[in-house]
Amino acid sequence: QVQFVESGGGLVQPGGSLRLSCAVSGFTLDYYNIGWFRQAPGKEREGVSCFSSRDGSTYYADSVKGRFTISRDTAKNTVYLQMNSLKPEDTAVYHCATGRSSCITLVFGSWGQGTQVTVSS
C-alpha cells in the first residue's frame, strides 16, 4: 500500500524558509519519480517540482525556480522540498506525489494528504 507522510509546513513571514519532508512507503524512490504539487483555495493544482528516478534530474515550475530545491534520501525513502525566499503567493497545501508520467510534466497520479504552508506577515 502506497503511503505518504508529509510534514514541515507552517506559518512563515515573506522572505522566510521552510523545509518540507515526505516519508513514503509501499514503493522505493530508487525506481519511481517523486515530487510535489500545491493547491491553493480557488486555484488549479500546480506541479512544483520533481526528482527523476531515471537519472537524478530535477525539475521545477517557473514560479519557484531558483527558490525551491528538491532532494531525496533513498536510505530513508524520504523526499524533501527546501523552500527559500517564500512569497505570499506560495501559500497552499503542498502534496508529496508520484506517478508514471515523465518528471518534466510535473504531473502526478498518487499523492498524500498534504501539509499547509502559509506565507504571511
Side-chain angles (χ1 to χ4, degrees):
Q1 184 179 359
V2 174
Q3 288 189 325
F4 307 83
V5 180
E6 299 109 329
S7 61
L11 173 64
V12 63
Q13 292 187 342
S17 298
L18 282 175
R19 188 193 194 208
L20 306 184
S21 299
C22 175
V24 306
S25 59
F27 66 100
T28 60
L29 297 184
D30 291 302
Y31 304 112
Y32 288 85
N33 297 336
I34 189 73
W36 298 85
F37 70 86
R38 64 188 181 185
Q39 187 149 28
K43 294 187 178 180
E44 291 193 0
R45 183 183 303 171
E46 179 187 19
V48 172
S49 183
C50 186
F51 193 110
S52 172
S53 63
R54 184 175 62 87
D55 60 5
S57 296
T58 55
Y59 300 86
Y60 299 94
D62 288 343
S63 57
V64 307
K65 208 169 288 183
R67 300 187 297 121
F68 289 13
T69 303
I70 189 170
S71 61
R72 70 176 189 182
D73 184 334
T74 53
K76 295 182 179 179
N77 225 32
T78 298
V79 61
Y80 305 95
L81 186 68
Q82 177 67 44
M83 307 186 295
N84 299 329
S85 303
L86 283 161
K87 306 175 181 179
E89 51 263 43
D90 294 318
T91 296
V93 176
Y94 284 71
H95 298 265
C96 176
T98 188
R100 296 185 177 274
S101 299
S102 173
C103 243
I104 197 170
T105 69
L106 295 178
V107 173
F108 306 98
S110 302
W111 52 85
Q113 297 267 19
T115 184
Q116 176 71 46
V117 171
T118 302
V119 185
S120 174
S121 54

